[in-house]
Amino acid sequence: MTSNTTTMDPSDMMPYIDLNNYTCSDKGLILPIISEYTWPVGGRIFAYFIGMLWFFLGVSIIADVFMCAIERITSKTTKVRISDATQPDGFRSIEVKVWNSTVANLSLLALGTSAPEILLSVIELFKNKLRAGDLGPGTIVGSAAFNLLFITAICIVSIPDGEVRRVERMKVFAVTGFSCVFAYIWLTLVLLVITPNRVDIWEAVLTLLFFPLLIFVAYMADRDCCMKKVELDADGMVGISLDQSKQSDEENASLDHHHERPGSTRGKANIMKLCKELGHESVDDGVPPEEAAKIAANKIAEQEPHSRGWYRINATRVITGGKKLIPRVLTTFQDIYEGVQLPEEERGQPSKTDHALGGHLAVVEFTAAAVSCLESDKKVRLGIRRWGKLENPLTVRVETINGTALAHEDYIPFNQDVKFAANEQLAQIFIEIVDDFEWEPDEFFFVKIVKPHEDEDVTLGDVSICQVTIINDDEPGKLEFAKPSIIAKESNRKVRVPVNRVNGADGHVSVKWVTKNITAIDGKDYKGGEGVLVFDNGEINRTIDIPLFDSNKPERDESFQIELEFNGIVSRIYNLTIANLDYLSLEESSWVQQFSAAMNVNGGDLETATFLDYILHFATFFWKILFALVPPAKYWGGWPAFFISLIMIGIMTALIGDLASIFGCLVGLQDAITAITFVALGTSMPDTFASKQAAVGEKTADSSVGNVNGSNSVNVFLGLGLPWCIASIYWAVKNIVKK
């Protein structure tokens, strides 16, 4: 018998293994990029969880860029003419915003805060072949619940004790509050009642149209259109106004939700007043001018009203170790900072300590902690009072101490005894002021009461030092460049920059000037540096001459700038404060500055950077450098930054969707549960910090709680309406083609 035996290759007997087919490998649109077949499940869970957190930080940073672009777009202004009979031409020009703040909040700003959720819903639609998924809608619903419940609760408990925050724009709040509730009622009707588990074209289109309808109705409410406003006239009669005047509307619009720029008259006055106060601290307590300027900038930045976008950007930079929009104050000078945070009427108030010990001691002090006088008054009167034990005569010594005002130059020094007769309670002294024709900033000195060492029955009260401010009444004028910019040819070898002295010319004044490179380089294209420009009494025009270097070869136009820096400690603090406020601007002015801020922890302010700032900065360093490639928001009105950052948010959102889906699959969660927990929490975290800061920093609740309703409405109407329209139209067209 013959037997035929076939020998098989052992490799042909092994089962086929697909390295691309393993647990949860089919859940992502882009991820996983490489095969994770051999990875342990626990390691994959940890990797995807960390990756999800890292991408949340990344999308927050690009959303920061997106919000800066939106702030630039919505802050665009234009000049309009307003009738004014008091003006020679019969009108005056004011600068107003092109964008109404309500429209901006519910359109671009809402898109800025909700872009990840909205784009996730659209991207998941295409991932599921034009069928609705769970991740995108679940994130929108979960984010809305988080906003309405958790963020609102955080805002309420964050308000300091004894303070309240009221909604100022109640009509707009009522509109957005109604739309927020209606949005979820409509969502329930569409998915559960009208056409269960299906969305028809008319439902999708109507959902999307609710978005512009909400903006229109909120705008009408904001402008009080078709709403009667009842007012009482001076006689108590009721008058009915159907519309506010054009002038009132225009002026309100120009100031609406815009912090006062340092260049405005009132802004300069407020800053200068604060800088003078801190100048006193700088002399008296040894506070460096740089730190005093930072304290001033901190207070101004905290007290100015800000939009929700501003708070969102600042919150993102806090959680990523970026450049803060409110500077930190060193703990060494925290007591000074807390002092200027108090209302002006509460500063320097005497304590309630009984210095007289029940009438056993005589207490001597000034009647006021601070007085002021004009330089032309020639003298200043100071009152000194005694209380407590009055039956004995006593003598105290009073002496002056230099501040920014100097003895003999600005005042005649005083160092004399002041005597009180028995039962005498009040005394007064006069200090001579030197009046000259030289202008100088308002200056101050101190007057101090010194207790006699041999008299044990006398003590000093709380106001033992009085600050005297000398208000200069000369008219030195204001120094300014004759032109904002000058064009010069290299072949001229020199550019002459005129500086004018306007609105007065009393005395000798000087100003320091310094050059700064822009595209032209000092030493290569021009001879820069610094110098002092001196104006004699009555002189109103001087020039700064800057030598230019001729390269004798064709090259593009280049530029540099000249800055004026005024002398004196108060002026130095003022200039530093203005520089700090400029540094705190939302966006950088060039790519170089943008990359510099991205590469340095805390935006380059290393002195106040914390250990956590360093950790967050290095954790997000890759994202910061990558997104610094986006054009700065100051270029071309912010639109390039808007569209490029929106594309990047879309890419980041797609990757977050994959990370969340795979992570949820690995831990056994459905996409809907993953969406309303991890994804909703991650995308809403910047809004949480932003709303908390707005609740504490703003005087109203509009920027904190008020915008939650509008954001939730936009999430539903735009975040669900847009993908619904795309999918419903697609399937309707496909069914028609089949027929």
Side-chain angles (χ1 to χ4, degrees):
M1 185 171 79
T2 303
S3 174
N4 296 326
T5 304
T6 303
T7 303
M8 298 182 63
D9 189 341
S11 61
D12 294 335
M13 302 176 61
M14 296 179 62
Y16 175 74
I17 298 175
D18 185 359
L19 296 179
N20 294 316
N21 185 15
Y22 48 91
T23 304
C24 303
S25 62
D26 59 340
K27 297 292 291 183
L29 177 65
I30 301 174
L31 300 178
I33 299 177
I34 61 175
S35 175
E36 301 170 5
Y37 186 89
T38 60
W39 293 21
V41 174
R44 293 179 66 197
I45 291 174
F46 178 77
Y48 277 94
F49 180 73
I50 296 299
M52 192 164 53
L53 294 181
W54 191 55
F55 269 80
F56 279 142
L57 291 174
V59 81
S60 296
I61 293 173
I62 188 59
D64 177 346
V65 179
F66 190 49
M67 291 297 297
C68 287
I70 291 173
E71 286 282 337
R72 168 62 60 171
I73 293 169
T74 57
S75 64
K76 181 177 176 58
T77 61
T78 186
K79 289 186 177 180
V80 298
R81 293 181 175 182
I82 301 297
S83 298
D84 190 344
T86 62
Q87 299 296 319
D89 298 330
F91 65 86
R92 60 190 175 93
S93 296
I94 64 172
E95 198 169 0
V96 300
K97 291 198 305 178
V98 174
W99 284 75
N100 173 269
S101 60
T102 297
V103 174
N105 282 338
L106 292 176
S107 56
L108 291 182
L109 288 175
L111 177 62
T113 57
S114 304
E117 296 98 316
I118 296 172
L119 291 175
L120 180 62
S121 183
V122 175
I123 291 170
E124 187 187 32
L125 181 73
F126 289 96
K127 173 185 172 182
N128 292 340
K129 299 179 180 180
L130 277 299
R131 296 183 183 277
D134 293 330
L135 196 63
T139 300
I140 289 176
V141 174
S143 177
F146 185 87
N147 291 348
L148 196 60
L149 301 176
F150 188 78
I151 292 183
T152 302
I154 288 291
C155 291
I156 293 173
V157 300
S158 298
I159 298 174
D161 294 339
E163 298 184 15
V164 295
R165 300 290 186 270
R166 293 184 174 87
V167 176
E168 184 178 35
R169 300 186 172 192
M170 185 55 70
K171 294 174 183 177
V172 175
F173 179 78
V175 171
T176 56
F178 171 80
S179 69
C180 178
V181 176
F182 171 76
Y184 290 95
I185 294 176
W186 171 253
L187 188 62
T188 303
L189 292 175
V190 169
L191 297 178
L192 298 180
V193 179
I194 302 176
T195 54
N197 299 320
R198 190 182 79 251
V199 179
D200 292 338
I201 291 181
W202 71 270
E203 295 170 321
V205 172
L206 190 57
T207 302
L208 186 60
L209 289 178
F210 283 141
F211 173 60
L213 179 62
L214 167 63
I215 295 176
F216 176 74
V217 175
Y219 172 77
M220 298 288 283
D222 180 56
R223 305 295 285 183
D224 283 338
C225 294
C226 304
M227 299 181 184
K228 295 182 178 181
K229 185 177 179 181
V230 181
E231 298 177 340
L232 291 176
D233 62 17
D235 296 325
M237 300 297 291
V238 176
I240 299 178
S241 172
L242 297 179
D243 194 8
Q244 295 181 4
S245 68
K246 177 72 174 176
Q247 177 174 339
S248 176
D249 283 346
E250 299 279 341
E251 290 179 342
N252 288 339
S254 67
L255 297 174
D256 189 37
H257 279 276
H258 266 268
H259 62 270
E260 193 177 57
R261 300 299 304 159
S264 66
T265 302
R266 188 174 59 178
K268 282 185 175 179
N270 289 338
I271 295 173
M272 180 58 76
K273 181 179 179 181
L274 181 59
C275 289
K276 287 179 180 178
E277 179 180 344
L278 289 167
H280 304 167
E281 302 284 0
S282 184
V283 172
D284 195 35
D285 294 336
V287 180
E290 293 78 9
E291 194 63 30
K294 189 177 293 185
I295 292 173
N298 189 297
K299 180 181 179 182
I300 292 166
E302 284 189 341
Q303 292 189 346
E304 286 180 345
H306 301 289
S307 67
R308 182 173 178 82
W310 186 94
Y311 283 105
R312 169 66 185 253
I313 293 169
N314 189 56
T316 298
R317 297 183 183 183
V318 168
I319 63 177
T320 58
K323 184 182 80 172
K324 313 301 187 296
L325 297 180
I326 297 179
R328 291 193 179 114
V329 178
L330 294 177
T331 55
T332 309
F333 308 106
Q334 190 67 28
D335 55 339
I336 304 285
Y337 168 67
E338 292 174 353
V340 299
Q341 293 298 96
L342 293 174
E344 188 171 357
E345 62 273 9
E346 295 182 13
R347 300 177 201 165
Q349 290 294 317
S351 66
K352 298 181 180 180
T353 305
D354 182 12
H355 295 286
L357 299 180
H360 291 86
L361 298 178
V363 182
V364 181
E365 63 183 357
F366 289 108
T367 56
V371 298
S372 61
C373 67
L374 294 174
E375 188 180 70
S376 58
D377 289 343
K378 304 292 182 67
K379 64 176 64 175
V380 59
R381 183 183 66 84
L382 302 181
I384 304 174
R385 65 175 180 175
R386 177 176 65 158
W387 53 280
K389 187 176 182 180
L390 304 177
E391 58 269 20
N392 298 327
L394 63 84
T395 301
V396 293
R397 177 162 288 274
V398 177
E399 58 186 39
T400 53
I401 303 172
N402 284 345
T404 56
L406 302 178
H408 300 292
E409 293 184 13
D410 302 299
Y411 69 95
I412 303 301
F414 187 95
N415 189 353
Q416 300 178 15
D417 289 338
V418 176
K419 297 181 179 181
F420 285 84
N423 297 316
E424 186 178 13
Q425 299 183 39
L426 294 175
Q428 59 183 9
I429 62 172
F430 293 88
I431 299 176
E432 293 185 41
I433 305 298
V434 177
D435 186 15
D436 54 30
F437 294 103
E438 295 293 331
W439 179 87
E440 50 195 352
D442 294 348
E443 297 178 313
F444 61 91
F445 63 94
F446 301 99
V447 185
K448 180 180 181 180
I449 301 175
V450 181
K451 170 189 170 183
H453 294 290
E454 65 277 4
D455 196 340
E456 297 181 354
D457 293 335
V458 178
T459 187
L460 300 181
D462 292 307
V463 192
S464 60
I465 297 178
C466 179
Q467 175 185 301
V468 179
T469 301
I470 304 173
I471 301 174
N472 195 287
D473 52 4
D474 297 316
E475 293 294 339
K478 182 176 66 174
L479 302 183
E480 61 184 16
F481 289 111
K483 298 178 180 180
S485 61
I486 295 177
I487 299 176
K489 295 181 178 180
E490 287 183 345
S491 57
N492 293 340
R493 299 300 178 93
K494 181 174 66 174
V495 59
R496 176 161 287 182
V497 182
V499 179
N500 292 339
R501 184 182 186 184
V502 298
N503 300 330
D506 289 345
H508 297 77
V509 295
S510 63
V511 61
K512 180 182 177 182
W513 59 266
V514 60
T515 61
K516 290 188 176 181
N517 295 339
I518 300 180
T519 55
I521 306 300
D522 180 15
K524 176 182 177 183
D525 302 300
Y526 71 99
K527 184 179 180 181
E530 60 184 39
V532 177
L533 200 62
V534 179
F535 287 78
D536 291 331
N537 183 40
E539 194 171 18
I540 60 173
N541 183 269
R542 297 281 290 171
T543 60
I544 302 172
D545 294 336
I546 304 294
L548 303 178
F549 301 146
D550 192 352
S551 61
N552 296 318
K553 61 181 180 180
E555 57 183 354
R556 62 185 178 87
D557 294 341
E558 295 175 316
S559 59
F560 64 94
Q561 69 181 23
I562 303 176
E563 291 185 356
L564 300 181
E565 299 179 353
F566 295 92
N567 299 323
I569 188 168
V570 175
S571 295
R572 175 170 170 75
I573 294 174
Y574 175 82
N575 289 327
L576 288 170
T577 301
I578 296 297
N580 284 335
L581 291 174
D582 290 340
Y583 171 79
L584 297 176
S585 60
L586 291 180
E587 69 275 355
E588 307 298 340
S589 59
S590 67
W591 258 302
V592 173
Q593 293 178 339
Q594 200 161 267
F595 272 99
S596 176
M599 295 180 68
N600 291 284
V601 65
N602 206 21
D605 185 9
L606 303 181
E607 189 177 15
T608 59
T610 64
F611 179 71
L612 182 60
D613 285 334
Y614 279 94
I615 294 177
L616 294 172
H617 173 71
F618 289 118
T620 58
F621 185 78
F622 171 79
W623 298 124
K624 290 179 179 179
I625 297 299
L626 176 64
F627 299 139
L629 296 171
V630 178
K634 289 189 177 181
Y635 290 178
W636 302 291
W639 289 106
F642 176 87
F643 288 112
I644 293 176
S645 57
L646 184 61
I647 293 172
M648 289 188 171
I649 290 175
I651 297 172
M652 295 283 291
T653 302
L655 293 170
I656 287 177
D658 285 0
L659 288 166
S661 295
I662 297 174
F663 172 77
C665 175
L666 291 172
V667 297
L669 295 177
Q670 296 180 354
D671 282 350
I673 303 300
T674 305
I676 64 176
T677 53
F678 293 101
V679 183
L681 179 63
T683 56
S684 299
M685 195 53 63
D687 284 322
T688 305
F689 288 101
S691 295
K692 179 182 180 297
Q693 291 176 354
V696 176
E698 291 293 303
K699 296 180 180 179
T700 68
D702 296 82
S703 293
S704 53
V705 177
N707 282 335
V708 169
N709 293 332
S711 179
N712 287 350
S713 302
V714 172
N715 273 353
V716 173
F717 296 148
L718 188 58
L720 294 180
L722 181 59
W724 281 359
C725 282
I726 296 172
S728 60
I729 293 174
Y730 169 81
W731 289 110
V733 172
K734 187 173 182 179
N735 290 335
I736 293 174
V737 172
K738 281 184 177 180
K739 294 180 181 179

